[in-house]
Amino acid sequence: AYVGPKHVHGAAIQWQQEQLLAQQLIAQLPPERVCQVRFETLISEPEVTLQRICQWLNIPYRESVLHFFRSEESRNTAASGNM
């Protein structure tokens, strides 16, 4: 069951409020605790963006992250809702 606004206007208001709350939280955190990712950048520069995220997480970057959606793990996760 869907919980929340039932109209696009209500959903937009809720999104705006949540974005403001997130920005307030980010302002209170030290910079090293925050890794902001713009959706537009992730879509236009996926490899560079994912490399930056991996670097921030201090984990090795692997090209396979670009193709996670093709992995067996991804398929299993997606199928787990089909009980």
Side-chain angles (χ1 to χ4, degrees), residues 9-47:
H9 177 74
I13 296 295
Q14 180 177 346
W15 177 86
Q16 181 183 37
Q17 291 169 344
E18 291 169 354
Q19 294 302 304
L20 290 172
L21 289 171
Q23 291 300 319
Q24 290 170 3
L25 175 61
I26 288 168
Q28 296 174 29
L29 295 171
E32 65 272 9
R33 298 261 334 259
V34 178
C35 179
Q36 288 187 286
V37 178
R38 291 179 49 95
F39 176 76
E40 295 85 349
T41 307
L42 178 61
I43 297 305
S44 65
E45 302 175 48
E47 187 166 14

Side-chain angles (χ1 to χ4, degrees), residues 75-83:
R75 288 189 296 275
N76 290 341
T77 301
S80 67
N82 299 331
M83 296 180 150

Side-chain angles (χ1 to χ4, degrees), residues 68-83:
F68 176 75
F69 62 93
R70 295 181 185 152
S71 71
E72 184 177 347
E73 182 181 356
S74 173
R75 288 189 296 275
N76 290 341
T77 301
S80 67
N82 299 331
M83 296 180 150

